[in-house]
Amino acid sequence: SISKAHMAGYIRNPSIDVNAVVDPSHNARLNFKNEYGIKNDYSTMDDLFNDFVPDIVSICTWHSLHHEQSIVAANAVVKAIICEKPMSIGSGPASNMLKACNDNNVKLVISHQRRFSPGWEKARELVSDGLIGTPLFIELKALEGH
């Protein structure tokens, strides 16, 4: 379902053309392709990149796949990757994603749409001002009733 949210954003920008969908599921791929009028569909990212390299790749898959797929896209030298949260499962895979993107001059955006909420802005201020040291790990737990 998150891929539909990405499409909603792309559709709002007339300068963006979505040229391909990648999904190992034939039916899911064709349904998405038909729903949005997308020209090309592929069962793997390798098939996509063997045909052409898009400017932007959206990674809208299971969390455990984010780092591998982002690395494949970075090594194909796309211009940018928009990866859904979480970035990866663990800091090692996240570091590998960053390295692949840095090595190939690829912009990496992690889709964390809460970054401008007051709580997150205050946390950024505390970190930037050095008031809480250097964070090594952050975990967010939902409060009951929220």
Side-chain angles (χ1 to χ4, degrees):
S1 64
I2 196 64
S3 60
K4 292 185 178 202
H6 282 236
M7 282 301 300
Y10 290 140
I11 288 168
R12 287 187 186 106
N13 188 332
S15 65
I16 293 178
D17 293 319
V18 177
N19 294 308
V21 58
V22 178
D23 194 309
S25 167
H26 178 75
N27 287 337
R29 191 170 65 244
L30 291 182
N31 286 338
F32 198 84
K33 177 182 173 179
N34 291 335
E35 181 175 351
Y36 294 103
I38 298 171
K39 180 180 173 185
N40 301 296
D41 67 281
Y42 304 91
S43 60
T44 69
M45 292 177 72
D46 288 336
D47 290 341
L48 165 68
F49 296 136
N50 285 332
D51 195 14
F52 75 100
V53 177
D55 291 338
I56 300 171
V57 170
S58 283
I59 306 289
C60 303
T61 57
W62 296 106
H63 304 158
S64 60
L65 300 174
H66 289 179
H67 74 281
E68 292 173 10
Q69 293 173 337
S70 293
I71 291 169
V72 168
N75 289 336
V77 194
V78 300
K79 291 181 182 175
I81 299 167
I82 302 172
C83 181
E84 269 304 314
K85 63 186 179 303
M87 179 177 181
S88 68
I89 306 299
S91 60
S95 294
N96 294 337
M97 288 169 70
L98 292 172
K99 182 177 181 341
C101 288
N102 287 334
D103 288 351
N104 293 293
N105 198 31
V106 174
K107 300 291 183 194
L108 176 63
V109 176
I110 307 303
S111 184
H112 287 278
Q113 62 273 48
R114 294 183 185 103
R115 67 187 168 274
F116 298 114
S117 64
W120 287 106
E121 286 186 338
K122 182 64 175 178
R124 183 179 187 283
E125 178 185 319
L126 293 171
V127 171
S128 295
D129 291 347
L131 296 174
I132 61 172
T134 302
L136 301 177
F137 181 80
I138 297 172
E139 182 177 354
L140 176 66
K141 294 184 179 185
L143 300 174
E144 280 189 45
H146 293 266

